[in-house]
Amino acid sequence: MTTEPRRLRNYINGEFRDAADGRTTDVVNPATGEVYATAPLSGAADVDAAMAAAEEAFPAWRDLVPAERQKVLLKIADAIEARAEDLITVESENTGKPLALTRSEEVPPMVDQIRFFAGAARLLEGRSAGEYMEGMTSIVRREPVGVCAQVAPWNYPMMMAVWKFAPALAAGNTVVLKPSDTTPASTVLLAEIIGGVLEELGHPKGVFNVVCGDRDTGRLMVEHPVPAMASVTGSVRAGTQVAASAAKDVKRVHLELGGKAPVVVFEDADLAKAVEDIAMAGYFNAGQDCTAATRVLVHESVHDEFVTALAKAAADTKTGRPDDEDVLYGPLNNANQLKQVAGFIDRLPAHAKVEAGGHRVGDKGYFYAPTVVSGLKQDDEIVQNEVFGPVITVQSFTDEDQAVAHANGVEYALASSVWTKDHARAMRMSKRLDFGCVWINTHIPLVAEMPHGGFKKSGYGKDLSAYGFEDYTRIKHVMTSLG
């Protein structure tokens, strides 16, 4: 017997709907390579309907006092916590991620982040009112921007959905969210949960909407005249296309794009800890993380020792099916991503050496072995471009200046880390590294209170923190005559 694929649907104005023209796309479980669901391939009519619903709901949602929006978000966090096992199961099927790690490393931060933004809703800070011109009092209002068109990526479908909708809703905006076409299932389940909370508390149905589809669907959302803001997490190519489209009607844009995080290891670092933590931060989620520790720069005096230890750590790292509790990561997300990662290894220059891995694992699903590549030069393709897979490259450097030059010598500027026992050196490096985040003697931890976002081709705008919250607001000056 064959199991009929599950049918996913859009969530528009409080209702689950098929695409208006009935088109669908297959959704594949990357751990098996088999179709497990179909999702709407939404077109202009679906986007129009979702935008109309969000636009209609906006005035009532905007005009709620912050305490009421906080109440909704706290209720959403509670509801997600109560449905955690359902979300974990769906997300694992969505992505092939290990069940145990999804349970421990994704759901708790998601719930915490929603609760953080629930609190932020009641703490919109601004300059105090005052008289800056004789006879006049000025005040500053912070207001929601309006309808937000949001496009989430496939590497963390649930968590990135939270990073999108939580600050937007907390600030008083309404949302039309599109998940990746390869990972829509958990976002559709989130729509069921969020929609249930909105209905229970009597709020407008169109506050939160989900539209499934492909790149064309995303383009239609960004180009639509209703949204005041487009927020996209994705590739640099996607980001430049979004920025160009949004420029036509001067739409606000929030972009979190790729990364190529340098991991600078000095000779005085605790090498054992560095190797252990870097392997974890490089291979977690199959390296499909914009902040992954995938580009190591290590001082020449400890280079060989480090490479040997990292290759052993890679060999000891396990990938496999979601229900195997011993695995660190699951498959790559899709067949195209497997082809991309393998292509980087196939095209390595002659001077590069594969110290570990460098091959597909098994013939079912999209698994790739933990890989270490040494002997690289700064202008090599694999050093300059984002692999987005379980591949860690290693280069050597001679001194601090060369380390900085190599670290900064890429087009990305999202995250970085420095490994040293020298406090002054760590402070110098944190100043000189041109990245939105610098970790010292660690790599990849995130907290809701601190901003996440990059420079250069990694995009602009911040996720998380009060800064991320403020990105979803606009500032208005109000001046009144005292006469």
Side-chain angles (χ1 to χ4, degrees), residues 20-94:
D21 61 8
R23 292 189 303 158
T24 63
T25 183
D26 289 339
V27 185
V28 174
N29 183 331
T32 64
E34 298 172 353
V35 174
Y36 75 92
T38 62
L41 187 54
S42 300
D46 308 296
V47 172
D48 285 344
M51 294 300 174
E55 185 176 37
E56 183 178 356
F58 173 64
W61 185 251
R62 172 199 63 200
D63 293 343
L64 284 177
V65 295
E68 289 301 312
R69 291 199 297 271
Q70 180 191 49
K71 187 184 298 183
V72 175
L73 284 164
L74 290 175
K75 190 87 171 179
I76 289 170
D78 291 345
I80 287 173
E81 207 165 41
R83 296 286 301 274
E85 287 305 313
D86 294 336
L87 283 163
I88 291 162
T89 299
V90 169
E91 185 76 335
S92 182
E93 193 171 31
N94 225 12

Side-chain angles (χ1 to χ4, degrees), residues 2 7 11 16 38 54 98 104 116 125 134 169 171 195 218 237 271 276 289 305 323 341 360 368 392 410 428 478 483:
T2 58
R7 189 176 77 173
Y11 187 76
F16 284 101
T38 62
S104 64
F116 169 81
E125 295 183 345
E134 187 175 347
L169 296 185
R237 181 180 66 176
L271 287 190
E276 179 182 359
D289 190 314
E305 180 184 354
D323 55 357
V341 173
R360 182 177 182 178
Y368 203 82
I392 299 177
V410 295
R428 287 195 305 272
V478 179

Side-chain angles (χ1 to χ4, degrees), residues 239-257:
T240 55
Q241 290 171 347
V242 166
S245 295
K248 296 173 185 176
D249 55 0
V250 201
K251 193 181 269 97
R252 184 183 294 201
V253 177
H254 181 283
L255 299 174
E256 201 273 85
L257 309 177

Side-chain angles (χ1 to χ4, degrees), residues 124-147:
L124 270 176
E125 295 183 345
R127 290 190 176 93
S128 63
E131 288 68 52
Y132 302 95
M133 179 181 288
E134 187 175 347
M136 300 285 180
T137 293
S138 289
I139 62 173
V140 172
R141 292 178 55 90
R142 275 199 178 272
E143 302 174 339
V145 296
V147 176

Side-chain angles (χ1 to χ4, degrees), residues 286-310:
Q288 297 171 129
D289 190 314
C290 298
T291 62
T294 56
R295 184 167 63 103
V296 179
L297 304 167
V298 60
H299 191 269
E300 60 183 3
S301 65
V302 292
H303 172 271
D304 293 350
E305 180 184 354
F306 180 90
V307 168
T308 299
L310 185 62

